[in-house]
């Protein structure tokens, strides 16, 4: 059962694999915005996964976020997601990401609950 207040968390260490230069979103060796967004999505996805009906998952539909501070190589990034609204299949989350110094980004993320088989059938 999906109820507001469900929270999730996801972590990663800044490495050569998730920098702006590696992701193609910039030319500096700092934590990439696309990597931050993916980490926020992962936190939201894993927060609600145990509460979904059998055969269901969630898919991301919208991310509205800021990335306000760079994070250096070796920094630990923690993304959090809190379910703030449930409207049928539409789930809205408050998301944020922080490193050891403080908040590096925050925003709102929308996901939809989908049936795995029906969703994948759309690929054909």
């Amino acid at each position: 059962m999906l109820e507001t207040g469900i929270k999730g968390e996801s972590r990663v260490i800044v490495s050569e694999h998730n920098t702006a230069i590696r992701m193609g979103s910039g030319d500096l060796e700092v934590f990439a915005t696309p990597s931050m967004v993916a980490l926020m999505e992962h936190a939201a996805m894993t927060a609600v996964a145990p509460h979904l009906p059998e055969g269901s998952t969630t898919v991301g539909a919208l991310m509205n976020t800021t990335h306000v501070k760079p994070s250096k190589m070796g920094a630990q990034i923690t993304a959090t997601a809190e379910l703030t609204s449930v409207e049928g299949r539409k789930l809205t989350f408050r998301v944020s990401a922080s490193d050891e110094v403080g908040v590096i980004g925050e925003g709102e993320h929308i996901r939809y609950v989908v049936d795995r088989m029906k969703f994948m059938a759309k690929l054909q």
Side-chain angles (χ1 to χ4, degrees), residues 18-36:
N18 55 23
T19 62
I21 196 165
R22 177 69 171 262
M23 299 295 294
S25 64
D27 60 3
L28 299 172
E29 285 195 340
V30 295
F31 193 54
T33 300
S35 298
M36 182 189 73

Side-chain angles (χ1 to χ4, degrees), residues 10-72:
S10 194
R11 293 188 173 148
V12 71
I13 301 295
V14 180
S15 72
E16 64 184 40
H17 302 291
N18 55 23
T19 62
I21 196 165
R22 177 69 171 262
M23 299 295 294
S25 64
D27 60 3
L28 299 172
E29 285 195 340
V30 295
F31 193 54
T33 300
S35 298
M36 182 189 73
V37 168
L39 195 64
M40 289 172 163
E41 282 201 87
H42 188 262
M45 177 194 69
T46 58
V48 296
H51 306 280
L52 297 175
E54 183 74 26
S56 295
T57 190
T58 59
V59 294
L62 176 72
M63 179 65 80
N64 183 8
T65 188
T66 61
H67 192 175
V68 297
K69 182 189 153 310
S71 299
K72 64 183 178 180

